[in-house]
Amino acid sequence: MTTKYELKNSVTGKATELDSISGTIGPDVLNIAPLVKEQGVFTFDPGFMATASTESKITYIDGEAGLLLYRGYPVEQLAEKSSFIEVAYLLIYGSLPSKAELEAFRSSITRHTMVNEQLLRFFQGFHHNAHPMAMVAAVVASMSAFYHDSTDINDPRHREIFAHRIVAKLPTIAAAAYKHSLGQPFVYPRNDLRYCANMLNMFFAVPCEPYAIDPVAAEALDLLFILHADHEQNASTSTVRLAGSTGANPYAAISAGVSALWGPAHGGANEAVLDMLEGIGSPKGIDTFLAQVKDRNSNVRLMGFGHRVYKNFDPRAKIIRGMCYKVLEKLGHNDTPLFELALKLEEIALRDEYFVSRKLYPNVDFYSGIIYSALGIPRSMFTVMFAIARTAGWVAHWQEMVSDPHMRIGRPRQLYTGPTKRDYLPIDRR
Ligand code: CMC
């Protein structure tokens, strides 16, 4: 049964009936479309605190219960049993693949990993200390100038080629950005390696000596990628949808997503967490730091804490914290003090009234940087790693939107508070 809501203008008494719409799980939403027509008012919701911007079948979050489902599957089960490539398939195609489907998908991704040589030359135009996110956003946008057989958004085959290509090439582009920053030669992808092992090889191999890929490192990367693969209508995914809703080519839309991810309130938080831990220095510095966080005039935040949707534990943070023990034991004793500091900081913050009353818990980024660091990935590359994983989700959302015959351009309205109409004054009369 549809629940009806009534919205009444208290002055004129005019009422508008609004239907609620139910999803499969989660809160109902109100269809507010009649409001403008019947009452001449818009809704006002800065930051989208209470707005469902779209209908989607991809990912579900229950922030109170700490639940995250990709196409219905709990992220904990996928983290334990699946692989990033299988999860990418699940997100993009909607169901878990059969053996043959998975092999075909893996093979297609593997064979799309090389990038056009001209595209690689773009990197020479960047200064050696350019932030890798700047390079990746620019090079991804440039892909539309190369891969014309995958930019017709109305052709399902074009869309599929694009999907495979972008998932396949992002690690190659990321590795090229990293190698450029080091002044080392690019390392070409190897088709005999799995997705994450290949990425490690492109990052760390050099022509002058053999590089042994550590299976624990590849496993840790795969896990982090599963956990970062999608998160429903977050800022970067909404950006991909908004850019894509104009009919822009998909590479442009993904590049917009990369840029949106960069900010410290979103994907940039993993880089900021390590800066923060280093700034705190040791457990002795925690109290002073938390006093700064709680000082309203300081603008200092406990990075890696808090989330718009999770008001209980972020399930991804729990899994990553568990992985930290394994990775640090095997690879990164140098990073152990940072991890211990993070654990202590978490423990103290979770007992502190400020964080308890605001329901602030560690999010996915609180511990992910510690793993990246133990894998030898430099801090400036952390958000790029997030971007590689989230590409699977961006593609799934873009596909879902573009294949909907009712797709419309996303075009929010506003509450205007600027000057009312006024006449131009010549400069000598101002
Ligand atoms: N440290 C200190 N105070 C915080 C924090 C934090 N990390 N996060 C929220 N608060 C406070 C905030 O000051 C506000 O307090 P008050 O009501 O007294 O003004 C209250 O909690 C609500 O915060 P908000 O900024 O209105 O919440 P939001 O939903 O708009 O922001 C957030 C969510 C993730 C941007 C925010 O929690 C934050 O800035 N966290 C740190 C950055 C971070 O870790 N980002 C990664 C998010 S998870 C991965 C991803 O999405 O990419």
Side-chain angles (χ1 to χ4, degrees), residues 107-124:
S107 157
S108 175
I109 297 297
T110 304
R111 278 165 185 78
H112 273 106
T113 46
M114 283 212 301
V115 299
N116 188 298
E117 283 295 303
Q118 304 301 329
L119 204 87
L120 276 184
R121 296 210 176 102
F122 283 7
F123 286 94
Q124 286 160 15

Side-chain angles (χ1 to χ4, degrees), residues 49 234 261 264-267 269 293 296 300-308 311 314 316 354-355 358 360 363-365 386:
M49 301 290 288
N234 58 85
L261 186 74
H266 194 9
V293 170
R296 284 206 169 268
V300 177
R301 286 204 162 196
L302 174 48
M303 298 311 288
F305 253 66
H307 197 276
R308 172 64 60 81
K311 299 302 169 198
D314 178 339
R316 304 167 300 173
Y354 176 94
F355 297 95
R358 290 170 179 78
L360 302 170
N363 60 50
V364 69
D365 286 329
F386 192 158

Side-chain angles (χ1 to χ4, degrees), residues 208-243:
C208 41
E209 61 185 30
Y211 169 70
I213 300 156
D214 191 312
V216 173
E219 185 194 333
L221 214 48
D222 204 69
L223 177 83
L224 286 179
F225 280 14
I226 291 173
L227 299 176
H228 280 100
D230 194 41
H231 217 226
E232 52 118 303
Q233 310 308 324
N234 58 85
S236 57
T237 303
S238 297
T239 302
V240 170
R241 280 187 178 262
L242 197 56

Side-chain angles (χ1 to χ4, degrees), residues 317-338:
K318 270 190 195 164
I319 301 171
I320 295 179
R321 191 177 48 189
M323 190 65 175
C324 275
Y325 287 102
K326 188 168 173 186
V327 168
L328 292 178
E329 187 169 335
K330 176 79 198 311
L331 302 170
H333 285 288
N334 288 345
D335 295 289
T336 303
L338 270 190

Side-chain angles (χ1 to χ4, degrees), residues 52 64 87-88 111 122 161 175 262 307 310 331 339 353 416:
E64 296 296 332
V87 165
R111 278 165 185 78
F122 283 7
I161 298 172
W262 194 355
H307 197 276
Y310 293 117
L331 302 170
F339 181 44
E353 207 310 287
Y416 177 70

Side-chain angles (χ1 to χ4, degrees), residues 150-169:
S150 53
T151 51
D152 179 356
I153 66 165
N154 298 312
D155 182 333
R157 182 61 191 140
H158 273 228
R159 294 203 294 264
E160 188 170 39
I161 298 172
F162 149 74
H164 291 206
R165 200 170 256 155
I166 193 83
V167 171
K169 293 189 196 312

